[in-house]
Amino acid sequence: MLAVHIFSYFFTKLQEDPTKKVDRFLYRMRLHDDQLQDISARFQAEMKKGLCAESNPVATVKMLPTHVRSTPDGSEKGEFLALDLGGSRFKVLRVDVREARGMRPAAVEIEEATYPISNDVLIGKGTEVFDYVSESLKDFLQKKNMDLKKKHPLAFTFSFPCEHAAINKGVLLNWGKIFRARGLKGKEVVQALKDAIERTEDLDVEVVALVNDSVATMMSCGFDDRNCQIGLIIGTGTNACYMEEMRHIGRVPGDEGRMCVNTEWGAFGDDGALDDFITEFDREVDAASINPGKQLFEKMVSGMHQGELVRLIVLKMAKEGWLFDGHVSEALMAHGKITSAHVAAMEEYKTGLKNTRDILTDLGLHPSSDDCVAVQHVSTIVSFRSSNLVAAALSAILARVKANRNVGKLKISVGVDGTVYRTHPRYSKRLHKVLQRLIPECHVRFIQSNCGSSKGAALVAAVGQRLASQRRQIDEKLSTFELSLEQLQAVKTRMRADMEAGLTRKQLSAVKMLPTYVCGLPDGSESGRYLALDLGENSFKVLLVNLRRGQHLNSGLHQKIYSVPSTVMRGTSEELFDHLAECIGDFLDNMGLKSCRLPAGFSFPFPYEQTAVDSGTLVSWTKGFQVSDCDGRDVIQMLKEAVERRSDFELDIAAVVNDTVGTMMCCASEDPQCEIGLIIGAGTNICYMEDVKNIKTIDRVKGRAEKEEGTPGERFESGETLKMCINTECCGLGDDGSLSDIITQYDLEVDQTSLNTGKQTLEKLTSGMYLGEIVRQVLLDLTREGLLFRGRVTDRLKTPGIFDTKLLSKIESDRLAVLQVRCVLQQLGLDCNCDDSGIVKEVCAAVSRRAARLCGAVLAAVVDKIRETRGQDRLDISVGVDGALYKLHPHFSRVLRESTGVLAPRCSVTFLPSDEGSGKGAALVTVLTRQK
């Protein structure tokens, strides 16, 4: 009975489908999706290690920066030479790149010649390789009747791992494939080529780019599909590159934009990461290679090794009696007798089995039909594993790109080149299908490259020239916002001269230097209950401040914010002040205080002249207000009249205060050294405490200053009061043309479209109300010049006001990468790429930096004047600051501090950010007015 079972078992095996026998023999090569996901995760970890500067030295996947920062956009043009070196033959090409014009699409025309490389050169001296390349290049130029005396730009595709210091500099890390030339490892490749060109007579060539074949493939396909951000090579060797965010590339300074990274993924597994997937046949291939222990992933994937893997498997199966009745031919035992071309032929749809029989017969074997089926299946498993491994590694790259862009679905194109992908009848479909299973949330389009490595190298050079030209033009336009130290010193000097003129009124001054009749600072003894009224850019705040001696100003604070409609901002005086009175009445009603007659301070952030602390005659509107029949009228009186028209509550308005004064007073309640107020928000202004003896414009005749005993007027005469706060209204600096040398064409455009043309010059250069509009004007100009948004001037970009202070602050945030900036711009309806986003960020930085430095120059004039007035060699002083631009912008405050320090080196200035300072300060001025 046992004998029957044994006979039955062997009979079953003899009748077994030959493909199942191969499946069982090669079960370790058949990878399921869970294993591929595992491999993908391992490769992602290796990518991170390679990108990190600290871990890169021990990483096997080197993630080499290429210094290629952009893909083609269709505007590239020029004629280039290209060299393509990577195998036993190399190409010399003339590439003519034409930009798109009107209906004519961008195009590339190529002429090429192929030159064989002898084995002696491949394994000889490195100098011999490049001497041969240089001589062949000269031969090409002569045959194409190209001018040898003209300097020709040349792009060099060099398909070996290089460490790039620049786009045209690269140190060879190691040879691969069939190259073994001596003396070049660790040397600069472009310099070696240049030296060879110099040794060749009558040849004038400038090497402008050195690229890997995968990078060149990505660039070549990116010329036809701007969504192509990945390059893939599956041929004699294998590799991939992709566009990585600069902030993740640890070995290249800077974090803006993207750069192409050459993964050099052929070395994946050299550290043992793939040991549990490596078979005995892979180890045999590795041991017999010219670089044992290196490029293990490449040896499992590439066409150079697929045929040898098939040969080793078939040889072992034959020796163990699984094939050919155990017979082995000498040819089957010889290295290299089965190639990747044989593997592809065996898998042809219609002729695969016939091709397999022919190949085996040529090897001196006599295969049966089952043998042919089995060997064909071996080829299928080897090539299928290759495509599976490529899909796993590629899915890791896609996952990283998707995470970088922070999108739920990723649409991207992959440029592909290489004989395996191009010639194998089933490889591409298998790769696409497996990749879709591994990362279904990515929609991937594969673009097969045509002359990819050579054409792509020329496109790298073309893109480089385009970017360099654009860079020069952009830098030239943005340089108008860059102020030298001498220019800032001149602004400081002009501000100081206008301050002196404004204090004396001996001559006209654009800086008004308005007395505020605020003659003291809080000392902590203030107490009582007061209203504070704070009119802002488009809002009106009503505050109830309960002060207790020695307690923090924020204790006992109640407030409500009301909007000011644009119709009211541009209406009549009655409409504005009736609206304010209505808001005050509503607040008092909610607080149950309508029957109380509370003293109030009014923070009014517009230029006005005072003859007393409770009187202010409007000089002009700013910040977008344009209320009729107000100029020359007392704002306190207009508010009192509006309250009287309601007749449902009474209000004792004790003081009118500018927002800068309120900010200074608020911060002075916390720091007795605070004697300056600074507003950098919708508007720009400074106030400070000036010696009364220097204020020649105080009216000692009119108003309460002369009428009421103990008022500032009497104290001015007696000398009892030593200081008074001056509202500089520095926002008008330059209205007399004194800043014309730093005014740009964009500032002029903004001024022309403003409500007060020719006025508030400094404010229009520095305040949040105008900076966004300056940025828009710059972007509009760059777009019209074809330097931004692909030259498309949209209606949205032509719309005033689309940029505001918050948006500028957000765009310039260190935490906001270029990709996120792109999302912000797209939300504004601006169709842009990452290059555009980087330029927009630069424009915002240039405009805001100029603003901060100008504010620093003006503030330096104020602090230096205080120091000199006091006769001090050094001054320690604090500045109370308020305003959205100062508080929200990520870099404004730092640049302001730095500029002030450089321009006023003898002054130590402490900046105190204020919280709701203008309103609280108005209450404090009211306290001082009533208690003193």
Side-chain angles (χ1 to χ4, degrees):
M1 191 66 181
L2 178 61
V4 171
H5 282 296
I6 293 173
F7 176 80
S8 175
Y9 173 78
F10 280 108
F11 181 79
T12 301
K13 291 299 178 186
L14 288 172
Q15 298 300 314
E16 185 178 22
D17 184 335
T19 60
K20 291 183 178 179
K21 289 193 296 184
V22 175
D23 287 342
R24 193 165 62 254
F25 192 79
L26 297 179
Y27 73 94
R28 290 194 62 204
M29 281 191 169
R30 294 176 60 82
L31 303 175
H32 52 73
D33 285 359
D34 288 345
Q35 291 173 303
L36 295 177
Q37 293 284 11
D38 182 18
I39 292 169
S40 179
R42 297 184 195 188
F43 187 68
Q44 284 194 60
E46 290 296 316
M47 290 170 71
K48 289 181 181 179
K49 190 188 296 185
L51 287 169
C52 177
E54 291 75 21
S55 56
N56 178 269
V58 296
T60 55
V61 179
K62 285 301 182 183
M63 305 295 287
L64 302 173
T66 66
H67 295 267
V68 173
R69 296 175 180 264
S70 179
T71 51
D73 70 358
S75 65
E76 293 78 18
K77 59 184 177 180
E79 184 179 82
F80 304 89
L81 291 172
L83 293 178
D84 186 359
L85 179 65
S88 59
R89 297 181 299 171
F90 82 96
K91 292 180 180 179
V92 184
L93 307 94
R94 177 167 65 181
V95 183
D96 185 15
V97 183
R98 293 198 311 244
E99 66 178 326
R101 281 188 179 275
M103 298 298 292
R104 189 192 75 184
V108 176
E109 292 184 356
I110 297 175
E111 293 182 82
E112 66 177 62
T114 301
Y115 295 84
I117 305 177
S118 69
N119 192 59
D120 291 340
V121 173
L122 291 173
I123 63 174
K125 294 181 180 178
T127 53
E128 294 174 354
V129 173
F130 286 109
D131 282 343
Y132 180 65
V133 168
S134 179
E135 290 163 5
S136 302
L137 177 60
K138 182 178 179 181
D139 176 73
F140 179 84
L141 292 174
Q142 289 172 332
K143 288 181 177 178
K144 298 298 179 182
N145 296 317
M146 297 178 70
D147 189 353
L148 295 177
K149 294 182 180 180
K150 177 184 175 182
K151 184 179 286 293
H152 298 279
L154 181 142
F156 187 15
T157 301
F158 188 70
S159 304
F160 306 97
C162 289
E163 184 74 62
H164 284 258
I167 197 169
N168 62 346
K169 292 182 180 179
V171 174
L172 177 63
L173 298 180
N174 54 266
W175 288 109
K177 303 173 186 174
I178 58 177
F179 276 76
R180 297 281 286 174
R182 303 183 303 275
L184 272 181
K185 187 176 179 180
K187 299 293 180 63
E188 214 284 294
V189 174
V190 172
Q191 189 58 51
L193 178 59
K194 287 180 178 178
D195 293 342
I197 290 171
E198 287 180 6
R199 290 192 294 269
T200 305
E201 295 181 358
D202 300 324
L203 189 59
D204 192 3
V205 172
E206 180 186 7
V207 184
V208 295
L210 175 73
V211 297
N212 183 274
D213 52 352
S214 60
V215 179
T217 296
M218 179 190 74
M219 296 295 283
S220 174
C221 297
F223 187 75
D224 300 312
D225 181 347
R226 293 175 191 169
N227 207 29
C228 183
Q229 301 283 299
I230 299 174
L232 174 62
I233 299 292
I234 315 168
T236 305
T238 186
N239 195 14
C241 70
Y242 72 103
M243 297 300 291
E244 175 62 83
E245 303 298 317
M246 279 290 294
R247 68 184 186 274
H248 296 150
I249 306 174
R251 292 181 296 148
V252 179
D255 59 0
E256 296 299 334
R258 294 174 179 170
M259 179 181 287
C260 181
V261 168
N262 167 24
T263 66
E264 285 298 332
W265 75 9
F268 179 37
D270 288 2
D271 59 353
L274 294 177
D275 279 0
D276 47 338
F277 295 101
I278 291 177
T279 68
E280 60 181 289
F281 308 108
D282 298 312
R283 298 194 187 282
E284 283 190 63
V285 167
D286 178 51
S289 69
I290 61 175
N291 55 350
K294 303 293 183 183
Q295 301 295 105
L296 295 183
F297 185 73
E298 183 170 83
K299 289 168 185 174
M300 299 169 75
V301 166
S302 72
M304 184 175 181
H305 303 286
Q306 281 185 22
E308 185 61 11
L309 281 169
V310 170
R311 186 190 70 83
L312 291 172
I313 294 166
V314 171
L315 178 61
K316 182 169 183 179
M317 291 184 73
K319 285 181 177 180
E320 294 186 3
W322 293 72
L323 294 172
F324 318 127
D325 294 328
H327 295 172
V328 176
S329 67
E330 289 187 13
L332 184 60
M333 297 179 66
H335 183 276
K337 286 296 183 177
I338 299 180
T339 67
S340 62
H342 291 142
V343 174
M346 291 182 200
E347 291 198 68
E348 286 288 351
Y349 287 98
K350 294 182 179 180
T351 61
L353 281 175
K354 178 183 179 300
N355 293 340
T356 303
R357 183 178 293 278
D358 292 344
I359 291 165
L360 294 176
T361 301
D362 288 344
L363 290 174
L365 298 166
H366 304 285
S368 66
S369 296
D370 282 357
D371 290 335
C372 291
V373 171
V375 172
Q376 184 188 52
H377 196 52
V378 169
S379 294
T380 297
I381 289 176
V382 169
S383 64
F384 214 137
R385 183 186 69 158
S386 170
S387 62
N388 281 347
L389 289 171
V390 170
L394 186 56
S395 71
I397 292 177
L398 290 166
R400 182 167 184 86
V401 172
K402 177 176 173 292
N404 285 347
R405 298 189 185 181
N406 193 28
V407 293
K409 293 280 187 179
L410 176 67
K411 184 178 181 180
I412 196 168
S413 297
V414 178
V416 197
D417 202 359
T419 53
V420 172
Y421 187 89
R422 283 201 312 266
T423 62
H424 193 289
R426 304 174 188 239
Y427 196 97
S428 59
K429 287 186 178 180
R430 290 170 181 164
L431 171 61
H432 303 167
K433 187 174 181 179
V434 174
L435 184 67
Q436 181 61 33
R437 290 205 311 268
L438 293 180
I439 189 159
E441 60 273 22
C442 292
H443 177 72
V444 183
R445 180 189 179 208
F446 286 85
I447 309 168
Q448 188 169 307
S449 175
N450 179 26
C451 297
S453 55
S454 346
K455 171 184 170 184
L459 285 168
V460 169
V463 169
Q465 285 196 355
R466 167 176 63 82
L467 292 178
S469 174
Q470 289 180 347
R471 184 74 266 163
R472 286 191 297 271
Q473 294 177 72
I474 292 168
D475 287 346
E476 182 179 347
K477 290 180 181 294
L478 295 187
S479 67
T480 59
F481 293 98
E482 185 57 41
L483 303 178
S484 66
L485 183 58
E486 291 74 19
Q487 287 175 305
L488 291 171
Q489 289 283 7
V491 172
K492 175 187 173 184
T493 301
R494 293 165 197 161
M495 175 65 182
R496 179 65 183 274
D498 276 10
M499 289 173 70
E500 300 292 352
L503 286 171
T504 62
R505 295 277 174 92
K506 289 181 179 179
Q507 57 185 6
L508 291 176
S509 172
V511 179
K512 296 303 181 184
M513 302 296 286
L514 303 173
T516 65
Y517 294 84
V518 174
C519 302
L521 296 170
D523 59 11
S525 64
E526 295 78 22
S527 61
R529 187 165 62 168
Y530 303 87
L531 279 182
L533 314 173
D534 185 4
L535 181 59
E537 177 185 354
N538 51 21
S539 65
F540 180 57
K541 299 174 189 173
V542 185
L543 304 91
L544 177 64
V545 183
N546 289 302
L547 294 174
R548 294 180 179 83
R549 188 183 300 269
Q551 289 193 2
H552 194 274
L553 186 58
N554 284 330
S555 61
L557 177 68
H558 304 276
Q559 68 173 357
K560 187 172 181 180
I561 302 174
Y562 299 87
S563 66
V564 180
S566 58
T567 53
V568 173
M569 293 170 61
R570 294 171 176 80
T572 65
S573 60
E574 277 198 13
E575 288 173 335
L576 172 63
F577 287 98
D578 282 351
H579 177 72
L580 301 185
E582 182 181 352
C583 296
I584 298 168
D586 177 76
F587 180 81
L588 293 173
D589 193 32
N590 289 336
M591 298 298 297
L593 296 173
K594 265 197 170 180
S595 60
C596 300
R597 188 173 188 272
L598 296 176
F602 186 16
S603 176
F604 188 74
F606 305 97
Y608 55 89
E609 289 187 338
Q610 290 181 268
T611 55
V613 73
D614 62 351
S615 173
T617 302
L618 180 67
V619 174
S620 62
W621 289 109
T622 60
K623 303 181 180 70
F625 277 73
Q626 200 174 38
V627 180
S628 61
D629 59 58
C630 285
D631 290 1
R633 296 178 62 186
D634 189 329
V635 296
I636 295 295
Q637 188 59 38
M638 284 189 283
L639 181 56
K640 285 181 177 178
E641 290 171 0
V643 171
E644 289 172 2
R645 281 194 292 271
R646 292 180 58 87
S647 69
D648 58 341
F649 66 90
E650 294 184 358
L651 198 62
D652 176 16
I653 307 177
V656 60
V657 178
N658 186 274
D659 52 351
T660 52
V661 179
T663 296
M664 179 190 72
M665 297 295 284
C666 179
C667 292
S669 69
E670 307 291 334
D671 181 351
Q673 282 193 318
C674 181
E675 296 186 59
I676 300 175
L678 173 62
I679 295 292
I680 309 174
T684 302
N685 198 13
I686 297 176
C687 72
Y688 73 103
M689 298 302 291
E690 176 62 85
D691 284 4
V692 169
K693 64 183 180 182
N694 296 328
I695 308 172
K696 307 303 182 183
T697 56
I698 297 175
D699 191 338
R700 299 182 177 87
V701 180
K702 295 180 181 179
R704 285 170 25 178
E706 281 292 308
K707 295 178 181 178
E708 296 184 11
E709 184 180 356
T711 62
E714 289 186 350
R715 296 198 296 275
F716 302 153
E717 296 288 357
S718 67
E720 178 186 342
T721 298
L722 299 179
K723 294 180 182 178
M724 178 188 287
C725 180
I726 291 291
N727 167 22
T728 67
E729 287 298 333
C730 65
C731 49
L733 179 66
D735 287 359
D736 56 359
S738 63
L739 297 182
S740 59
D741 57 322
I742 64 172
I743 299 292
T744 70
Q745 66 183 86
Y746 313 110
D747 301 315
L748 294 174
E749 289 283 349
V750 170
D751 180 53
Q752 287 299 315
T753 57
S754 68
L755 295 174
N756 52 352
T757 304
K759 303 295 183 183
Q760 307 295 104
T761 300
L762 181 72
E763 186 167 87
K764 289 172 183 172
L765 301 179
T766 59
S767 74
M769 184 173 181
Y770 297 99
L771 295 191
E773 190 58 14
I774 296 173
V775 166
R776 189 185 69 83
Q777 291 291 344
V778 177
L779 300 185
L780 198 55
D781 182 40
L782 292 176
T783 306
R784 286 169 175 158
E785 294 288 332
L787 303 173
L788 193 63
F789 304 140
R790 294 181 289 284
R792 298 171 187 166
V793 179
T794 62
D795 289 340
R796 186 64 173 158
L797 188 59
K798 290 188 285 187
T799 305
I802 61 171
F803 286 90
D804 58 19
T805 306
K806 288 183 180 179
L807 184 61
L808 260 65
S809 301
K810 187 175 182 180
I811 287 174
E812 285 196 65
S813 171
D814 291 329
R815 297 187 299 274
L816 206 65
V818 166
L819 186 63
Q820 294 165 301
V821 173
R822 182 183 180 188
C823 292
V824 171
L825 296 173
Q826 287 175 337
Q827 288 169 8
L828 285 177
L830 300 175
D831 182 21
C832 63
N833 56 34
C834 283
D835 292 336
D836 294 333
S837 303
I839 293 170
V840 171
K841 197 164 186 177
E842 282 186 67
V843 172
C844 292
V847 172
S848 64
R849 176 175 167 79
R850 181 189 66 166
R853 297 181 80 205
L854 284 172
C855 288
V858 172
L859 181 60
V862 174
V863 296
D864 253 352
K865 183 184 188 312
I866 294 173
R867 179 184 63 80
E868 292 174 15
T869 298
R870 297 180 183 179
Q872 297 178 350
D873 184 57
R874 291 199 60 82
L875 173 70
D876 291 331
I877 197 165
S878 297
V879 178
V881 197
D882 203 356
L885 185 57
Y886 181 87
K887 288 198 258 189
L888 298 179
H889 194 281
H891 307 299
F892 198 101
S893 60
R894 173 183 56 79
V895 177
L896 172 66
R897 287 194 305 271
E898 291 171 354
S899 301
T900 306
V902 169
L903 295 168
R906 294 187 185 181
C907 301
S908 177
V909 182
T910 300
F911 291 84
L912 307 173
S914 171
D915 183 21
E916 307 291 351
S918 55
K920 298 173 187 174
L924 285 168
V925 172
T926 303
V927 175
L928 295 178
T929 302
R930 283 291 182 259
Q931 292 188 350
K932 296 180 181 180

